[in-house]
Amino acid sequence: ELLGSKTSLATKIKVLEDEVRGLNTRADRLTGECTELRDRLSSSQQQLDQKARDLDNKSSDLDRTRKEFVELQNTHRLCSEQAAQQAELIRQLQALQLDTQKVLRNQEDAHNLEATSYQKMYAELSVQFNALQVAER
């Protein structure tokens, strides 16, 4: 019975040793999987961090672009206002030019009328002078 009990114990020990080897193999496999998952998690975290940095950069770019757009809108508005002012000045200058042309024509007409009047007066005075010269002789 002692021998049977030794054999039974030896068999139990062998079974337990086989279970321990199986558990060790399983533990090694699970440790490998954990390492692989930790590496994948680290890689995913790095990708996530990069995506977050990219998003921050894009947000900054978007903010800067929005500010530039507002500045461009303001510049466009100012240019439009200046263009309207220039158009009004051009209209006023054209009206002034027309008025100036009218004044010049009126002055030219008055000068021509005056010159014609002086020519008639000169002609009349010349006739009178010649008549006086003839009368004095």
Side-chain angles (χ1 to χ4, degrees):
E1 198 178 294
L2 191 57
L3 187 60
S5 151
K6 277 186 180 182
T7 306
S8 170
L9 282 176
T11 305
K12 283 183 182 180
I13 289 174
K14 179 132 175 85
V15 168
L16 288 175
E17 285 175 347
D18 288 343
E19 283 182 26
V20 167
R21 272 193 295 277
L23 289 173
N24 282 337
T25 303
R26 184 172 177 218
D28 289 344
R29 185 177 46 81
L30 289 174
T31 300
E33 286 180 19
C34 282
T35 301
E36 181 185 332
L37 289 173
R38 193 177 307 116
D39 290 345
R40 285 176 52 196
L41 178 62
S42 176
S43 175
S44 295
Q45 185 62 46
Q46 288 174 355
Q47 289 176 358
L48 181 62
D49 291 346
Q50 181 61 44
K51 296 289 182 188
R53 284 190 297 274
D54 290 347
L55 182 60
D56 287 344
N57 289 338
K58 290 187 188 287
S59 292
S60 296
D61 289 347
L62 183 60
D63 289 342
R64 187 172 45 258
T65 302
R66 282 183 177 142
K67 288 177 184 175
E68 289 174 6
F69 180 67
V70 168
E71 288 175 15
L72 286 174
Q73 282 180 320
N74 289 337
T75 301
H76 179 266
R77 182 182 49 77
L78 289 174
C79 286
S80 295
E81 289 172 3
Q82 289 175 349
Q85 290 172 353
Q86 288 175 349
E88 177 59 22
L89 285 175
I90 289 170
R91 187 196 62 72
Q92 290 175 359
L93 286 172
Q94 288 172 337
L96 181 61
Q97 183 182 22
L98 288 175
D99 291 347
T100 302
Q101 287 173 350
K102 287 178 187 176
V103 167
L104 286 175
R105 271 191 236 112
N106 288 342
Q107 287 179 345
E108 188 177 343
D109 291 346
H111 174 73
N112 287 339
L113 186 62
E114 193 175 315
T116 303
S117 173
Y118 283 141
Q119 285 174 349
K120 284 183 186 176
M121 190 181 349
Y122 177 76
E124 289 173 5
L125 286 175
S126 290
V127 169
Q128 289 177 2
F129 179 73
N130 288 336
L132 279 175
Q133 277 186 336
V134 169
E136 286 182 0
R137 288 189 196 167

